[in-house]
């Protein structure tokens, strides 16, 4: 059945393109998204009053969807503020920084370590934990916060989440929709992810190092604290050393529990957030004793002020994209429409059935479905398209399914849409738009390479 595109679909598409263009003009996008949300809301509800209400509803739904990430990052930041004051942060930076000899090694070390952990507990909790510990180390070694964010995104989301070889949530969703064994999709993913990585990662590294020339950690002392510059000069108290050891062991126990109890996603994030809150409570009271109750509130306030500062514009940006994704019915009620998926299906209906047409089409549709910032929400569509068009075009369905998964999860999971990069941006204390902008060209060229390989393998 052909998809009937309405004014709401075309307005949605127009503002998606407008946001991307605005981002690459190095301008802020929240006000563009507000205008877009108002126009799309008007088209969907048919009234200006409904449009005004839908803008508010979209922001609220977005905030609810992302609140778990906001809270865990805020608690981690609050703990890091306390550790900065106690000296434990300087101890950790000196200890963890030993394998890192400069910005180049920091790029690879931070990215690879986060990617390994992300394979087992998914990227967001891995980023919240490893990012909070290692990003200050990377900055102290001379890697800019944006450079650290690029490394984490390209490895943890670009490789670990896009393949999801350990937890297998992504390939399971794709394979079920395509009517294939999970192993078939995973094996077809191997040459595609290798091609993508061989193209995207060296390019990302080159651009990052080029932009990093002349970076001085002193410029970010206000954000990361004195430890990023003076960790080697500070004499560490026994309290600071003990706290550094206990905090490290506590988070190591968290990792062991996540693996043993198979805690994933939100459950893993909740464990990390609760641990950070408990550590903050204990060490604030031990350090400040009778004044701890007041000082602890200051640490919490600093943490949550930072979290809101980073996430507030993202709530507005993501609100527009949520209007056309899965949460549309929460925003509009029964009038909500899956605009993103309708646009993707309309594109699929216009493509001729041969490998040279269906492979680029699958890659493009995958990237489009990832624009909602999820990555996983488009996987049933990717699998369905692979199962239907793969047979009709006489191409290898598993390769087509794997290609759609790669571009959907990579985009929305995320490497190149800012609203999917908020966790990374938060631990790196930078703007998600900056990370997305740095990743865009390498990631897209990686998609092109993977699509060409897919055409060959089909």
């Amino acid at each position: 059945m052909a998809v009937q595109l309405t004014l709401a679909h075309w307005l949605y598409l127009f503002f998606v393109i407008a946001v991307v263009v605005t981002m690459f003009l190095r301008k802020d996008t929240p006000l563009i998204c507000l205008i877009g949300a108002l126009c799309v809301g008007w088209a969907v509800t048919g009234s200006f009053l409904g449009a005004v209400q839908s803008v508010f509803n979209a922001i609220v739904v977005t905030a609810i969807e992302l609140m778990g990430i906001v809270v865990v990052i805020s608690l981690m930041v609050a703990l890091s503020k306390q550790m900065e004051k106690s000296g434990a942060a300087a101890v950790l930076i000196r200890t963890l920084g030993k394998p890192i000899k400069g910005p180049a090694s920091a790029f690879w070390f931070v990215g690879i370590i986060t990617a390994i952990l992300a394979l087992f507990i998914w990227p967001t909790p891995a980023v919240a934990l490893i990012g909070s510990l290692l990003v200050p180390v990377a900055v102290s070694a001379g890697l800019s916060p944006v450079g650290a964010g690029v490394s984490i995104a390209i490895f943890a989301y670009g490789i670990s989440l896009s393949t999801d070889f350990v937890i297998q949530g992504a390939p399971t969703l794709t394979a079920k929709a395509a009517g294939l064994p999970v192993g078939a999709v995973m094996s077809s993913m191997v040459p595609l992810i290798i091609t993508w990585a061989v193209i995207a990662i060296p390019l990302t590294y080159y651009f990052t190092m080029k932009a990093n020339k002349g970076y001085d950690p002193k410029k970010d002392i206000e954000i990361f604290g004195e430890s990023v510059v003076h960790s080697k000069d500070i004499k560490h108290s026994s309290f600071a050393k003990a706290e550094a050891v206990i905090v490290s062991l506590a988070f190591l126990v968290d990792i062991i529990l996540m693996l043993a109890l198979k805690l994933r996603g939100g459950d893993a994030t909740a464990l990390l957030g609760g641990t950070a809150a408990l550590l903050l409570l204990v060490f604030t009271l031990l350090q400040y004793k009778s004044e701890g109750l007041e000082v602890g509130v200051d640490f919490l306030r600093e943490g949550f002020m930072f979290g809101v500062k980073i996430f507030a514009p993202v709530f507005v940006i993501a609100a527009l994209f949520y209007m056309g994704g899965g949460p549309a019915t929460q925003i509009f009620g029964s009038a909500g429409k899956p605009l993103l998926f309708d646009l993707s299906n309309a594109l699929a209906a216009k493509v001729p059935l041969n490998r040279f047409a269906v492979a680029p089409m699958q890659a493009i549709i995958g990237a489009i479905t990832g624009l909602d910032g999820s990555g996983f929400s488009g996987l049933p569509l990717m699998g369905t398209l692979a199962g239907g068009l793969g047979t009709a075009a006489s191409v290898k369905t598993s390769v087509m399914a794997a290609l759609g998964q790669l571009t959907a999860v990579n985009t929305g999971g995320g490497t190149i849409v800012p609203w999917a990069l908020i966790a990374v941006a938060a631990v790196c204390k930078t703007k998600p738009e900056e990370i997305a902008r740095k990743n865009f060209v390498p990631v897209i060229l990686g998609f092109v390479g993977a699509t060409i390989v897919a055409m060959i393998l089909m």
Side-chain angles (χ1 to χ4, degrees):
M1 183 178 174
V3 177
Q4 184 68 41
L5 297 183
T6 64
L7 176 62
H9 292 91
W10 293 115
L11 284 171
Y12 187 81
L13 178 61
F14 172 80
F15 280 102
V16 166
I17 295 169
V19 167
V20 174
V21 171
T22 304
M23 185 178 71
F24 279 92
L25 291 175
R26 295 181 178 274
K27 302 292 183 182
D28 288 332
T29 59
L31 293 184
I32 299 292
C33 291
L34 274 179
I35 297 168
L38 184 66
C39 293
V40 172
W42 199 342
V44 171
T45 62
S47 74
F48 182 73
L49 179 61
V52 172
Q53 292 174 315
S54 66
V55 170
F56 176 78
N57 290 339
I59 295 173
V60 170
V61 167
T62 303
I64 292 170
E65 291 280 331
L66 300 177
M67 189 50 67
I69 302 174
V70 177
V71 172
V72 74
I73 294 297
S74 298
L75 289 171
M76 286 289 192
V77 170
L79 176 61
S80 72
K81 295 289 183 184
Q82 184 276 323
M83 293 176 70
E84 176 67 27
K85 294 291 186 183
S86 71
V91 176
L92 278 178
I93 287 176
R94 178 185 287 185
T95 306
L96 296 174
K98 288 179 180 178
I100 299 175
K101 305 303 179 186
S105 59
F107 177 91
W108 295 103
F109 186 79
V110 170
I112 291 171
I113 294 297
T114 312
I116 291 171
L117 187 58
L119 276 171
F120 294 92
I121 62 173
W122 276 347
T124 298
V127 166
L129 174 57
I130 297 299
S132 299
L133 297 177
L134 290 185
V135 169
V137 178
V139 171
S140 70
L143 182 64
S144 70
V146 174
V150 165
S151 171
I152 291 171
I154 212 80
F155 280 96
Y157 292 91
I159 294 179
S160 297
L161 188 62
S162 294
T163 55
D164 198 15
F165 284 153
V166 176
I167 301 173
Q168 298 181 14
T172 299
L173 283 172
T174 309
K176 279 186 177 179
L180 296 168
V182 177
V185 175
M186 290 172 64
S187 60
S188 294
M189 177 65 79
V190 173
L192 303 186
I193 195 64
I194 289 173
T195 303
W196 181 88
V198 165
I199 295 170
I201 292 180
L203 283 173
T204 304
Y205 172 76
Y206 171 76
F207 291 137
T208 300
M209 291 300 104
K210 185 178 178 181
N212 199 74
K213 284 182 181 177
Y215 172 73
D216 185 352
K218 289 180 182 177
K219 67 179 286 189
D220 287 318
I221 281 180
E222 229 178 281
I223 302 173
F224 287 95
E226 293 280 341
S227 299
V228 299
V229 175
H230 301 300
S231 62
K232 294 179 182 177
D233 307 323
I234 299 172
K235 289 186 178 180
H236 307 303
S237 66
S238 55
F239 181 89
K241 292 177 182 177
E243 182 179 0
V245 171
I246 293 170
V247 168
S248 300
L249 288 175
F251 285 127
L252 179 61
V253 169
D254 278 357
I255 294 172
I256 293 169
L257 288 172
M258 289 174 199
L259 298 176
L261 302 177
K262 296 183 178 179
L263 301 178
R264 308 286 186 252
D267 291 334
T269 302
L271 179 61
L272 289 176
T275 301
L278 183 60
L279 291 169
L280 174 66
L281 168 68
V282 171
F283 286 108
T284 299
L285 292 176
L286 287 175
Q287 183 181 1
Y288 295 96
K289 299 181 174 61
S290 61
E291 297 178 2
L293 295 176
E294 287 74 26
V295 177
V297 173
D298 289 337
F299 289 139
L300 281 171
R301 186 179 290 114
E302 285 187 77
F304 277 88
M305 283 174 66
F306 171 80
V308 172
K309 181 180 177 181
I310 289 290
F311 286 90
V314 178
F315 292 158
V316 177
I317 295 169
L320 169 63
F321 291 85
Y322 275 28
M323 280 184 163
T329 53
Q330 298 176 49
I331 298 168
F332 298 110
S334 58
K337 299 176 182 178
L339 304 177
L340 268 178
F341 298 99
D342 287 350
L343 288 166
S344 299
N345 283 320
L347 175 61
K350 301 292 183 183
V351 175
L353 298 178
N354 60 65
R355 71 174 64 195
F356 303 107
V358 296
M361 180 272 299
Q362 182 81 338
I364 291 169
I365 290 178
I368 290 173
T369 63
L371 289 175
D372 69 349
S374 164
F376 276 52
S377 62
L379 294 183
L381 175 61
M382 291 297 92
T384 301
L385 286 177
L389 295 180
T391 303
S394 300
V395 298
K396 196 171 181 181
T397 303
S398 62
V399 175
M400 192 170 169
L403 178 63
Q405 177 184 312
L406 173 62
T407 59
V409 179
N410 210 306
T411 300
T415 57
I416 56 174
V417 290
W419 43 99
L421 283 162
I422 50 176
V424 179
V427 297
C428 296
K429 301 181 180 178
T430 188
K431 290 183 177 181
E433 295 95 327
E434 286 297 314
I435 300 174
R437 195 178 290 119
K438 299 289 184 187
N439 281 343
F440 189 82
V441 172
V443 168
I444 293 299
L445 290 177
F447 286 166
V448 172
T451 302
I452 292 170
V453 169
M455 283 190 279
I456 295 168
L457 295 176
M458 281 180 180

